[in-house]
Amino acid sequence: MSLNDEERKVIVGLELEKANSMVSQTAMSIENKMWDLTANRLYYAAFHAVCALLIHNGIHVGTHKGAQVMFNKEFVQKGIMSVADNHLFSRLQQLREEGDYNCYIETTEEEIMPYVESTKNFIAKITKVIADN
């Protein structure tokens, strides 16, 4: 998909809005002790932030795996984002998949709560990287 600069700017803005909306939704899921849903919303918040970063840089991916691979290749390996950021993104995906697809694994409050602030910081960091470029 080929985007002009204005289209790219609009889509990046929409992706960041979606990321922030998703992370905001965790307040409701936390209040209702819905830990699988919290994991889902945190992952998708991070995913939309990563998509914004990729799109901002003209990188098109069509899958979640593609987003992870290109995030690592283009931003972590080049030192723009940290290895810890990459681990967070991967862990959030793992928690989301466990909660969404495995009926015998239940996400716990203790397991997911440390990721709430980390995800907010991750989105803020990506937003800054985008703004600085």
Side-chain angles (χ1 to χ4, degrees):
M1 169 169 64
S2 180
L3 302 172
N4 66 39
D5 289 343
E6 187 57 33
E7 291 169 330
R8 187 180 343 277
K9 185 177 179 181
V10 168
I11 293 172
V12 167
L14 291 171
E15 289 286 356
L16 289 174
E17 283 180 29
K18 189 73 159 182
N20 286 303
S21 173
M22 294 280 178
V23 84
S24 293
Q25 291 172 18
T26 62
M28 180 272 307
S29 62
I30 290 167
E31 181 179 322
N32 289 292
K33 300 186 183 313
M34 302 168 84
W35 309 121
D36 288 341
L37 182 58
T38 303
N40 178 288
R41 299 295 79 187
L42 289 175
Y43 169 71
Y44 278 106
F47 174 75
H48 284 286
V50 167
C51 286
L53 182 61
L54 295 171
I55 292 165
H56 177 75
N57 287 277
I59 301 167
H60 174 72
V61 296
T63 65
H64 290 263
K65 182 68 174 172
Q68 282 192 324
V69 168
M70 293 309 291
F71 175 71
N72 182 49
K73 179 181 176 189
E74 296 296 325
F75 300 97
V76 177
Q77 291 180 12
K78 293 179 180 179
I80 299 165
M81 300 292 288
S82 71
V83 171
D85 294 324
N86 197 40
H87 288 304
L88 172 66
F89 188 42
S90 294
R91 180 66 176 135
L92 289 173
Q93 183 175 23
Q94 179 185 30
L95 288 166
R96 193 268 308 177
E97 288 176 353
E98 288 173 357
D100 285 357
Y101 301 121
N102 291 312
C103 59
Y104 56 89
I105 296 176
E106 189 172 314
T107 308
T108 65
E109 178 178 6
E110 295 76 21
E111 187 174 34
I112 199 64
M113 287 305 294
Y115 295 105
V116 175
E117 282 305 311
S118 298
T119 304
K120 290 176 184 178
N121 293 336
F122 181 78
I123 294 166
K125 186 173 180 180
I126 287 177
T127 302
K128 182 173 180 355
V129 168
I130 290 169
D132 290 348
N133 292 314

